[in-house]
Amino acid sequence: MAKKNKKTQKNKSKKTQPKKGFHFEYDEALESTAVVKLKKKYGLFIGGEFKASKSGKTFKTENPATGEKLAELALADKKDVDSAVQAAKKAFKAWSELSGKERGKYLFRIARLIQERSREFAVLETLDGGKPIKESRDVDIPLAANHFFYYAGWADKLDYAFPGKKIKPVGVCGQIIPWNFPLLMAAWKLAPALAAGNTVVLKPAEQTSLTALLLAEVIQEAELPKGVVNIITGEGKTGAALVDHPDVKKIAFTGSTDIGKTIAKAIAGSDKKLTLELGGKSANIIFEDAAIDQAVEGIVNGIFFNQGHVCCAGSRVLVQESIKDEVIAKLKKRMSTLRVGNPLDKNTDVGAINSKEQLEKINSLVAIGKKEGGRFHEVDCALPKKGYYCKPCFFEGQTPASTLSRVEVFGPVLSIMTFRTPDEAVKIANDSNYGLAAGIWSEKSSKIHKIASELKAGVIWGNTYNKFDPAAPFGGYKESGFGREGGLHGLYPYVEVR
Ligand code: ADP
């Protein structure tokens, strides 16, 4: 696999020359895939061991940058889900009774092992998910390690986290994660649950399970007691079986709003706890007194980071009318420098769309935007012939009623609207079914604070966008879900307070 890639990359690099705004590849710029030892088949991680699914069924995972198959993964059905839950149940008593200090040591160990194997994690994340290697390397993997470090620190300080209260872990937690930040979402879910003394069954997304399975290896290496973490691969049905299992006491889900609603209905009336981190259509608001060049960087980072596969993406830009022309001109210029293409190229800014289905969804929404008559602009660049790619683009002259101002695209597609007054900006920003995040750009911090207090959004950035920190709680309002992950708040869903 690695050898074949190297060969094809070499041939290409001879032919392609760097051209501004065009896809290009340099040999020396390509991250080597040799660091990853892909297996042909991956098993389920249950009770500390890798096993085939009981039915023997598998499914494939592919590299969205080429459309080629990477590996076969075990497809967990109801019986496998039950085995994983039973393993977690068996491990619960000893793990929950272990001192916080000891639990913390395991989490520190996992964090350090992720750091040690960070290059392997980064390349695998990029191969399986299509995100630019510079993002896997500099954002996803370090943040995942930091999340374990952060919650390792809480494990022996739970008495301080809940002063005057007696707390107990909840029990077996079922955690279901999406394909956009595979390892990072696994870390967001596992670290607080383990710190608080719970045991877990984690189901990664079917498109991107490989780094979760590498994490299972790390968990083995860290000698975490068997059954404390179980990782089962599969599709929506696997997730549904986990949600329905009577011995699962808490469900943590990150994914689409539709599936979030299905899960909420499925567990209504049961004693299961639930947190949902769902979609978004977040407003990135640019005031006329903002530092325009920085704001343009913030727009680009807000929507084109991770190909726009970001639940808190700044997918609606609200720009004050007086600076609209300047912002649009600068944005077009900046977008012309974006390098779209091979995710393993260290210079790539926008990689591959995660799957064929997602590319089709994005294309159909872009077609609707065009039909509705929005002024459309896309980066003028050549896309690789194989794989799933989309040119970064925006629609101007949008209204709050436009489809692209209301529907989450989950791709590199921006909707731009204008406003005249701060009140109008707040009104438009809050006119959404979602309420996950927002960005505010202004020279006046008093203005940023005032606007922030009026926005119905869980995460608000001032003069920056898409910055994440394990100490900062993350979560939404309205159809963006409920519950918080990160920070002290991230521990609440994993304890019973008495
Ligand atoms: P997307 O539409 O972006 O692929 P989904 O919400 O469908 O996101 O998927 C997020 C995660 O939820 C994935 O791990 C997926 O397998 C899982 N999933 C899908 N359907 C269900 C379901 N009915 N119950 C539980 N989990 C599900």
Side-chain angles (χ1 to χ4, degrees), residues 75-96:
L75 177 65
D77 66 12
K78 244 179 159 176
K79 287 184 186 156
D80 301 301
V81 169
D82 184 55
S83 298
V85 173
Q86 296 314 325
K89 207 173 157 189
K90 198 168 149 207
F92 178 70
K93 188 168 187 297
W95 179 250
S96 60

PDB file of all heavy atoms in Angstrom, residues 75-96:
ATOM      1  N   LEU A  75     -18.142  -5.947  11.197  1.00  0.00           N
ATOM      2  CA  LEU A  75     -19.452  -5.298  11.318  1.00  0.00           C
ATOM      3  C   LEU A  75     -20.156  -5.855  12.555  1.00  0.00           C
ATOM      4  O   LEU A  75     -20.573  -7.022  12.579  1.00  0.00           O
ATOM      5  CB  LEU A  75     -20.284  -5.571  10.060  1.00  0.00           C
ATOM      6  CG  LEU A  75     -21.701  -5.014  10.054  1.00  0.00           C
ATOM      7  CD1 LEU A  75     -21.701  -3.494  10.088  1.00  0.00           C
ATOM      8  CD2 LEU A  75     -22.463  -5.499   8.822  1.00  0.00           C
ATOM      9  N   ALA A  76     -20.276  -5.016  13.586  1.00  0.00           N
ATOM     10  CA  ALA A  76     -20.877  -5.486  14.839  1.00  0.00           C
ATOM     11  C   ALA A  76     -22.398  -5.472  14.729  1.00  0.00           C
ATOM     12  O   ALA A  76     -22.980  -4.487  14.294  1.00  0.00           O
ATOM     13  CB  ALA A  76     -20.433  -4.592  15.995  1.00  0.00           C
ATOM     14  N   ASP A  77     -23.023  -6.589  15.124  1.00  0.00           N
ATOM     15  CA  ASP A  77     -24.489  -6.607  15.187  1.00  0.00           C
ATOM     16  C   ASP A  77     -24.909  -6.619  16.656  1.00  0.00           C
ATOM     17  O   ASP A  77     -24.084  -6.454  17.559  1.00  0.00           O
ATOM     18  CB  ASP A  77     -25.061  -7.776  14.378  1.00  0.00           C
ATOM     19  CG  ASP A  77     -24.683  -9.128  14.976  1.00  0.00           C
ATOM     20  OD1 ASP A  77     -24.183  -9.169  16.131  1.00  0.00           O
ATOM     21  OD2 ASP A  77     -24.883 -10.145  14.295  1.00  0.00           O
ATOM     22  N   LYS A  78     -26.208  -6.857  16.889  1.00  0.00           N
ATOM     23  CA  LYS A  78     -26.769  -6.829  18.241  1.00  0.00           C
ATOM     24  C   LYS A  78     -25.995  -7.710  19.227  1.00  0.00           C
ATOM     25  O   LYS A  78     -25.752  -7.325  20.366  1.00  0.00           O
ATOM     26  CB  LYS A  78     -28.210  -7.347  18.153  1.00  0.00           C
ATOM     27  CG  LYS A  78     -29.241  -6.328  18.524  1.00  0.00           C
ATOM     28  CD  LYS A  78     -30.607  -6.955  18.373  1.00  0.00           C
ATOM     29  CE  LYS A  78     -31.594  -6.153  19.204  1.00  0.00           C
ATOM     30  NZ  LYS A  78     -32.946  -6.636  19.047  1.00  0.00           N
ATOM     31  N   LYS A  79     -25.606  -8.923  18.740  1.00  0.00           N
ATOM     32  CA  LYS A  79     -24.918  -9.870  19.626  1.00  0.00           C
ATOM     33  C   LYS A  79     -23.539  -9.336  20.017  1.00  0.00           C
ATOM     34  O   LYS A  79     -23.098  -9.490  21.155  1.00  0.00           O
ATOM     35  CB  LYS A  79     -24.763 -11.225  18.928  1.00  0.00           C
ATOM     36  CG  LYS A  79     -26.066 -11.978  18.837  1.00  0.00           C
ATOM     37  CD  LYS A  79     -25.835 -13.345  18.224  1.00  0.00           C
ATOM     38  CE  LYS A  79     -27.175 -14.038  17.996  1.00  0.00           C
ATOM     39  NZ  LYS A  79     -27.099 -15.038  16.963  1.00  0.00           N
ATOM     40  N   ASP A  80     -22.854  -8.722  19.051  1.00  0.00           N
ATOM     41  CA  ASP A  80     -21.532  -8.145  19.360  1.00  0.00           C
ATOM     42  C   ASP A  80     -21.676  -6.960  20.316  1.00  0.00           C
ATOM     43  O   ASP A  80     -20.857  -6.771  21.216  1.00  0.00           O
ATOM     44  CB  ASP A  80     -20.841  -7.685  18.076  1.00  0.00           C
ATOM     45  CG  ASP A  80     -20.641  -8.816  17.087  1.00  0.00           C
ATOM     46  OD1 ASP A  80     -19.970  -9.789  17.440  1.00  0.00           O
ATOM     47  OD2 ASP A  80     -21.182  -8.710  15.968  1.00  0.00           O
ATOM     48  N   VAL A  81     -22.718  -6.166  20.078  1.00  0.00           N
ATOM     49  CA  VAL A  81     -22.965  -5.026  20.974  1.00  0.00           C
ATOM     50  C   VAL A  81     -23.174  -5.556  22.388  1.00  0.00           C
ATOM     51  O   VAL A  81     -22.610  -5.030  23.353  1.00  0.00           O
ATOM     52  CB  VAL A  81     -24.191  -4.198  20.492  1.00  0.00           C
ATOM     53  CG1 VAL A  81     -24.615  -3.187  21.550  1.00  0.00           C
ATOM     54  CG2 VAL A  81     -23.885  -3.498  19.174  1.00  0.00           C
ATOM     55  N   ASP A  82     -23.943  -6.643  22.495  1.00  0.00           N
ATOM     56  CA  ASP A  82     -24.194  -7.214  23.826  1.00  0.00           C
ATOM     57  C   ASP A  82     -22.881  -7.694  24.462  1.00  0.00           C
ATOM     58  O   ASP A  82     -22.642  -7.433  25.649  1.00  0.00           O
ATOM     59  CB  ASP A  82     -25.200  -8.368  23.724  1.00  0.00           C
ATOM     60  CG  ASP A  82     -25.549  -8.909  25.101  1.00  0.00           C
ATOM     61  OD1 ASP A  82     -25.970  -8.096  25.955  1.00  0.00           O
ATOM     62  OD2 ASP A  82     -25.355 -10.118  25.338  1.00  0.00           O
ATOM     63  N   SER A  83     -22.015  -8.355  23.687  1.00  0.00           N
ATOM     64  CA  SER A  83     -20.727  -8.800  24.255  1.00  0.00           C
ATOM     65  C   SER A  83     -19.929  -7.610  24.775  1.00  0.00           C
ATOM     66  O   SER A  83     -19.322  -7.681  25.848  1.00  0.00           O
ATOM     67  CB  SER A  83     -19.849  -9.463  23.196  1.00  0.00           C
ATOM     68  OG  SER A  83     -20.444 -10.580  22.708  1.00  0.00           O
ATOM     69  N   ALA A  84     -19.917  -6.537  24.000  1.00  0.00           N
ATOM     70  CA  ALA A  84     -19.140  -5.357  24.405  1.00  0.00           C
ATOM     71  C   ALA A  84     -19.725  -4.729  25.674  1.00  0.00           C
ATOM     72  O   ALA A  84     -18.987  -4.358  26.598  1.00  0.00           O
ATOM     73  CB  ALA A  84     -19.125  -4.333  23.260  1.00  0.00           C
ATOM     74  N   VAL A  85     -21.061  -4.666  25.723  1.00  0.00           N
ATOM     75  CA  VAL A  85     -21.702  -4.083  26.917  1.00  0.00           C
ATOM     76  C   VAL A  85     -21.435  -4.980  28.136  1.00  0.00           C
ATOM     77  O   VAL A  85     -21.139  -4.478  29.231  1.00  0.00           O
ATOM     78  CB  VAL A  85     -23.225  -3.873  26.683  1.00  0.00           C
ATOM     79  CG1 VAL A  85     -23.920  -3.435  27.969  1.00  0.00           C
ATOM     80  CG2 VAL A  85     -23.458  -2.836  25.578  1.00  0.00           C
ATOM     81  N   GLN A  86     -21.500  -6.291  27.942  1.00  0.00           N
ATOM     82  CA  GLN A  86     -21.234  -7.191  29.081  1.00  0.00           C
ATOM     83  C   GLN A  86     -19.786  -7.046  29.560  1.00  0.00           C
ATOM     84  O   GLN A  86     -19.521  -7.072  30.769  1.00  0.00           O
ATOM     85  CB  GLN A  86     -21.522  -8.668  28.716  1.00  0.00           C
ATOM     86  CG  GLN A  86     -22.983  -8.962  28.383  1.00  0.00           C
ATOM     87  CD  GLN A  86     -23.977  -8.361  29.375  1.00  0.00           C
ATOM     88  OE1 GLN A  86     -23.720  -8.271  30.580  1.00  0.00           O
ATOM     89  NE2 GLN A  86     -25.121  -7.898  28.873  1.00  0.00           N
ATOM     90  N   ALA A  87     -18.855  -6.871  28.630  1.00  0.00           N
ATOM     91  CA  ALA A  87     -17.448  -6.682  29.023  1.00  0.00           C
ATOM     92  C   ALA A  87     -17.299  -5.387  29.824  1.00  0.00           C
ATOM     93  O   ALA A  87     -16.589  -5.336  30.837  1.00  0.00           O
ATOM     94  CB  ALA A  87     -16.560  -6.633  27.775  1.00  0.00           C
ATOM     95  N   ALA A  88     -17.999  -4.341  29.394  1.00  0.00           N
ATOM     96  CA  ALA A  88     -17.931  -3.053  30.100  1.00  0.00           C
ATOM     97  C   ALA A  88     -18.583  -3.159  31.483  1.00  0.00           C
ATOM     98  O   ALA A  88     -18.109  -2.575  32.460  1.00  0.00           O
ATOM     99  CB  ALA A  88     -18.620  -1.975  29.265  1.00  0.00           C
ATOM    100  N   LYS A  89     -19.657  -3.942  31.532  1.00  0.00           N
ATOM    101  CA  LYS A  89     -20.380  -4.117  32.805  1.00  0.00           C
ATOM    102  C   LYS A  89     -19.495  -4.856  33.815  1.00  0.00           C
ATOM    103  O   LYS A  89     -19.427  -4.499  34.987  1.00  0.00           O
ATOM    104  CB  LYS A  89     -21.653  -4.928  32.513  1.00  0.00           C
ATOM    105  CG  LYS A  89     -22.778  -4.674  33.476  1.00  0.00           C
ATOM    106  CD  LYS A  89     -24.027  -5.398  33.002  1.00  0.00           C
ATOM    107  CE  LYS A  89     -24.948  -5.623  34.178  1.00  0.00           C
ATOM    108  NZ  LYS A  89     -26.070  -6.493  33.830  1.00  0.00           N
ATOM    109  N   LYS A  90     -18.822  -5.894  33.313  1.00  0.00           N
ATOM    110  CA  LYS A  90     -17.955  -6.700  34.172  1.00  0.00           C
ATOM    111  C   LYS A  90     -16.792  -5.858  34.723  1.00  0.00           C
ATOM    112  O   LYS A  90     -16.368  -6.016  35.859  1.00  0.00           O
ATOM    113  CB  LYS A  90     -17.411  -7.863  33.329  1.00  0.00           C
ATOM    114  CG  LYS A  90     -16.867  -8.999  34.131  1.00  0.00           C
ATOM    115  CD  LYS A  90     -16.633 -10.208  33.245  1.00  0.00           C
ATOM    116  CE  LYS A  90     -15.464 -11.012  33.787  1.00  0.00           C
ATOM    117  NZ  LYS A  90     -14.780 -11.755  32.750  1.00  0.00           N
ATOM    118  N   ALA A  91     -16.308  -4.951  33.884  1.00  0.00           N
ATOM    119  CA  ALA A  91     -15.137  -4.151  34.297  1.00  0.00           C
ATOM    120  C   ALA A  91     -15.519  -2.984  35.216  1.00  0.00           C
ATOM    121  O   ALA A  91     -14.654  -2.365  35.840  1.00  0.00           O
ATOM    122  CB  ALA A  91     -14.452  -3.599  33.040  1.00  0.00           C
ATOM    123  N   PHE A  92     -16.816  -2.675  35.297  1.00  0.00           N
ATOM    124  CA  PHE A  92     -17.245  -1.442  35.964  1.00  0.00           C
ATOM    125  C   PHE A  92     -16.880  -1.385  37.446  1.00  0.00           C
ATOM    126  O   PHE A  92     -16.357  -0.385  37.928  1.00  0.00           O
ATOM    127  CB  PHE A  92     -18.759  -1.239  35.766  1.00  0.00           C
ATOM    128  CG  PHE A  92     -19.266  -0.015  36.474  1.00  0.00           C
ATOM    129  CD1 PHE A  92     -18.931   1.259  36.029  1.00  0.00           C
ATOM    130  CD2 PHE A  92     -20.062  -0.120  37.617  1.00  0.00           C
ATOM    131  CE1 PHE A  92     -19.385   2.401  36.687  1.00  0.00           C
ATOM    132  CE2 PHE A  92     -20.512   1.007  38.284  1.00  0.00           C
ATOM    133  CZ  PHE A  92     -20.177   2.269  37.812  1.00  0.00           C
ATOM    134  N   LYS A  93     -17.156  -2.468  38.185  1.00  0.00           N
ATOM    135  CA  LYS A  93     -16.995  -2.406  39.648  1.00  0.00           C
ATOM    136  C   LYS A  93     -15.542  -2.035  40.013  1.00  0.00           C
ATOM    137  O   LYS A  93     -15.302  -1.058  40.726  1.00  0.00           O
ATOM    138  CB  LYS A  93     -17.392  -3.749  40.271  1.00  0.00           C
ATOM    139  CG  LYS A  93     -17.447  -3.699  41.795  1.00  0.00           C
ATOM    140  CD  LYS A  93     -18.112  -4.948  42.364  1.00  0.00           C
ATOM    141  CE  LYS A  93     -18.322  -4.827  43.864  1.00  0.00           C
ATOM    142  NZ  LYS A  93     -17.120  -4.710  44.639  1.00  0.00           N
ATOM    143  N   ALA A  94     -14.605  -2.801  39.469  1.00  0.00           N
ATOM    144  CA  ALA A  94     -13.194  -2.570  39.831  1.00  0.00           C
ATOM    145  C   ALA A  94     -12.727  -1.183  39.383  1.00  0.00           C
ATOM    146  O   ALA A  94     -12.032  -0.485  40.122  1.00  0.00           O
ATOM    147  CB  ALA A  94     -12.319  -3.654  39.203  1.00  0.00           C
ATOM    148  N   TRP A  95     -13.150  -0.780  38.176  1.00  0.00           N
ATOM    149  CA  TRP A  95     -12.690   0.519  37.649  1.00  0.00           C
ATOM    150  C   TRP A  95     -13.289   1.676  38.463  1.00  0.00           C
ATOM    151  O   TRP A  95     -12.595   2.640  38.801  1.00  0.00           O
ATOM    152  CB  TRP A  95     -13.084   0.639  36.167  1.00  0.00           C
ATOM    153  CG  TRP A  95     -12.684   1.921  35.522  1.00  0.00           C
ATOM    154  CD1 TRP A  95     -13.518   2.920  35.121  1.00  0.00           C
ATOM    155  CD2 TRP A  95     -11.360   2.366  35.212  1.00  0.00           C
ATOM    156  NE1 TRP A  95     -12.801   3.951  34.570  1.00  0.00           N
ATOM    157  CE2 TRP A  95     -11.470   3.631  34.614  1.00  0.00           C
ATOM    158  CE3 TRP A  95     -10.085   1.815  35.382  1.00  0.00           C
ATOM    159  CZ2 TRP A  95     -10.364   4.362  34.171  1.00  0.00           C
ATOM    160  CZ3 TRP A  95      -8.974   2.543  34.952  1.00  0.00           C
ATOM    161  CH2 TRP A  95      -9.123   3.792  34.362  1.00  0.00           C
ATOM    162  N   SER A  96     -14.551   1.559  38.803  1.00  0.00           N
ATOM    163  CA  SER A  96     -15.195   2.666  39.518  1.00  0.00           C
ATOM    164  C   SER A  96     -14.683   2.749  40.961  1.00  0.00           C
ATOM    165  O   SER A  96     -14.742   3.812  41.579  1.00  0.00           O
ATOM    166  CB  SER A  96     -16.714   2.520  39.491  1.00  0.00           C
ATOM    167  OG  SER A  96     -17.087   1.313  40.116  1.00  0.00           O
TER     168      SER A  96
END
